[in-house]
């Protein structure tokens, strides 16, 4: 059984007001996650709404373009587009930096050769559906120094897209990507 990083829902929304969508970076939330995470069997976590699975959600930017991926047809998010790269964390991912917690997942989904800068820019929560009720995203912006990024086999395709290209596919974005894209557009 894979054990993944979770935090009690009650603790997450004790320090901040409950929200659906996205909020800007708050260092108190990072500290709360780092100091209160637990490990839970993934199968149990998928159905336990008392906990939120913590998901690092990386958005890769190179110059004025964002890396946009399309998922394969199968799965909950089948055929949707995503500007977020990430997934579940397990015990081996834990380190001093919350960004480092998610790097294994980043490298599982994409191949990137080059240097980058990164920073946490927000948090994502969507309790409007069963999947969202058990997941909580940490939105991390990666600013790449190279355009050399591509998807690995579990994804259908990926390319660096302009803002206009993403806007034209907006209705085909997964929910978290819509939230993330909206936040990124506010900061332009």
């Amino acid at each position: 059984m894979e054990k993944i990083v979770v935090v009690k829902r009650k603790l997450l929304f004790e320090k901040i007001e409950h929200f659906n969508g996205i909020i800007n970076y708050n260092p108190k939330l990072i500290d709360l996650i780092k100091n209160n995470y637990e490990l839970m069997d993934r199968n149990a976590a998928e159905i336990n709404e008392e906990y939120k699975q913590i998901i690092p959600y990386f958005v890769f930017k190179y110059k004025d373009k964002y890396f946009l991926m399309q998922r394969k047809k199968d799965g909950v998010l089948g055929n949707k587009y995503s500007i977020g790269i990430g997934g579940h964390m397990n015990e081996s991912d834990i380190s001093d930096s919350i960004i480092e917690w998610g790097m294994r997942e980043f490298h599982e989904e994409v191949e990137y050769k080059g240097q980058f800068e990164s920073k946490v820019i927000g948090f994502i929560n969507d309790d409007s559906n069963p999947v969202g009720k058990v997941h909580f995203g940490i939105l991390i912006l990666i600013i790449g120094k190279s355009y050399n990024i591509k998807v690995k086999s579990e994804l259908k395709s990926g390319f660096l897209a302009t803002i206009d290209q993403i806007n034209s596919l907006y209705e085909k974005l997964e929910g978290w990507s819509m939230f993330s894209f909206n936040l990124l557009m506010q900061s332009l």
Side-chain angles (χ1 to χ4, degrees):
M1 272 297 157
E2 178 187 13
K3 291 198 178 279
I4 60 170
V5 174
V6 298
V7 173
K8 286 183 181 173
R9 170 190 291 274
K10 181 179 169 185
L11 279 175
L12 277 174
F13 297 113
E14 197 172 79
K15 301 286 182 195
I16 60 164
E17 187 174 323
H18 183 271
F19 69 97
N20 270 317
I22 197 161
I23 60 170
N24 288 317
Y25 172 71
N26 179 336
K28 290 179 184 175
L29 266 178
I30 294 293
D31 291 340
L32 185 142
I33 291 167
K34 287 173 78 172
N35 295 325
N36 294 284
Y37 75 88
E38 298 176 39
L39 297 170
M40 180 181 285
D41 289 336
R42 184 170 176 177
N43 290 341
E46 293 292 349
I47 57 171
N48 190 338
E49 293 182 12
E50 291 182 27
Y51 288 85
K52 286 284 199 173
Q53 300 164 49
I54 306 302
I55 308 293
Y57 200 69
F58 294 94
V59 172
F60 182 89
K61 181 179 182 182
Y62 174 71
K63 296 189 177 180
D64 62 345
K65 296 181 178 179
Y66 294 90
F67 191 64
L68 182 66
M69 303 174 300
Q70 187 175 24
R71 300 192 183 276
K72 290 183 177 179
K73 287 185 180 184
D74 54 343
V76 176
L77 300 172
N79 241 10
K80 293 278 194 174
Y81 285 89
S82 177
I83 62 169
I85 305 162
H88 297 90
M89 296 181 292
N90 58 43
E91 188 170 20
S92 67
D93 297 324
I94 307 302
S95 67
D96 291 336
S97 164
I98 200 90
I99 293 172
E100 288 299 317
W101 287 24
M103 290 310 295
R104 177 189 53 81
E105 279 292 333
F106 177 79
H107 291 296
E108 275 185 15
E109 290 194 22
V110 297
E111 184 178 313
Y112 173 67
K113 294 181 179 165
Q115 296 181 335
F116 62 88
E117 296 174 11
S118 58
K119 63 181 177 178
V120 177
I121 60 170
F123 300 94
I124 308 166
N125 187 61
D126 183 5
D127 286 336
S128 70
N129 60 71
V131 173
K133 286 182 181 180
V134 295
H135 293 87
F136 187 84
I138 301 172
L139 181 59
I140 302 163
L141 179 64
I142 290 183
I143 301 170
K145 305 290 184 188
S146 164
Y147 62 86
N148 194 1
I149 186 170
K150 62 182 179 179
V151 296
K152 290 191 175 174
S153 61
E154 70 180 57
L155 297 159
K156 185 175 178 178
S157 65
F159 62 97
L160 286 166
T162 65
I163 291 170
D164 288 342
Q165 288 171 311
I166 298 170
N167 269 326
S168 72
L169 295 167
Y170 187 82
E171 294 303 318
K172 295 179 180 178
L173 291 175
E174 62 189 29
W176 280 21
S177 287
M178 287 180 172
F179 296 146
S180 301
F181 187 65
N182 293 342
L183 181 66
L184 290 165
M185 293 307 96
Q186 289 174 10
S187 63
L188 290 180

